Amino acid sequence: MATVIGVVGSVLTIFSFLQDNFNTEDHTTSETKMRVVAGLDGTGDPPLNNAGGDYPDVRLFNENGGFLGGTYDNGYVSSGTAYDVTIQQTVGQQPTYALFTGNTDAICIAYIASTWPFGGKYGWVGSWGRRCGHPW
């Protein structure tokens, strides 16, 4: 019984955390909003450093691989902070695939929260840490 309560509590905690991290500004049917969070320097063993940097270029694609829109050269994000970006895209299509391209000073991504046209919310976590030299 305690295990069931623990699992339900963990799921609710994760859901609550994700809900608080989505970009929930007014949304039109022709844009996707993303919040990308850089890893926090000093965490892990060995400690992560230089996690901040240039925000990645983002390209969105539909289920058939058709290009929907993108955003490029968005600025700089510090270690442990979030960066919000709005991507204008083809109206009426869902961006089921996203390509993030690191630039000269790529960031180490901790997680991404995305709000699609029509309000769908999605999040991605994990497996980026190994690209930053850490086990995840």
Side-chain angles (χ1 to χ4, degrees):
M1 181 66 169
T3 303
V4 171
I5 292 171
V7 170
V8 170
S10 295
V11 169
L12 291 175
T13 300
I14 291 169
F15 179 76
S16 175
F17 168 77
L18 288 176
Q19 284 294 97
D20 291 342
N21 284 287
F22 285 103
N23 187 337
T24 58
E25 297 172 12
D26 288 338
H27 218 69
T28 68
T29 58
S30 64
E31 62 188 25
T32 291
K33 295 183 181 228
M34 292 189 150
R35 175 168 290 164
V36 177
V37 179
L40 179 62
D41 287 347
T43 57
D45 184 23
L48 181 65
N49 31 4
N50 198 27
D54 296 330
Y55 192 79
D57 297 341
V58 182
R59 294 167 184 83
L60 301 177
F61 301 88
N62 66 19
E63 190 67 22
N64 295 325
F67 180 73
L68 298 178
T71 184
Y72 316 94
D73 300 321
N74 293 303
Y76 182 87
V77 62
S78 299
S79 157
T81 59
Y83 190 93
D84 293 336
V85 65
T86 299
I87 303 160
Q88 297 301 319
Q89 66 166 76
T90 305
V91 176
Q93 295 191 29
Q94 297 175 339
T96 54
Y97 296 97
L99 172 65
F100 295 84
T101 307
N103 294 305
T104 305
D105 183 16
I107 68 171
C108 184
I109 297 173
Y111 68 89
I112 299 171
S114 176
T115 304
W116 286 2
F118 313 110
K121 296 180 184 338
Y122 299 90
W124 295 276
V125 296
S127 70
W128 288 306
R130 65 189 164 120
R131 300 286 178 209
C132 302
H134 288 267
W136 285 56

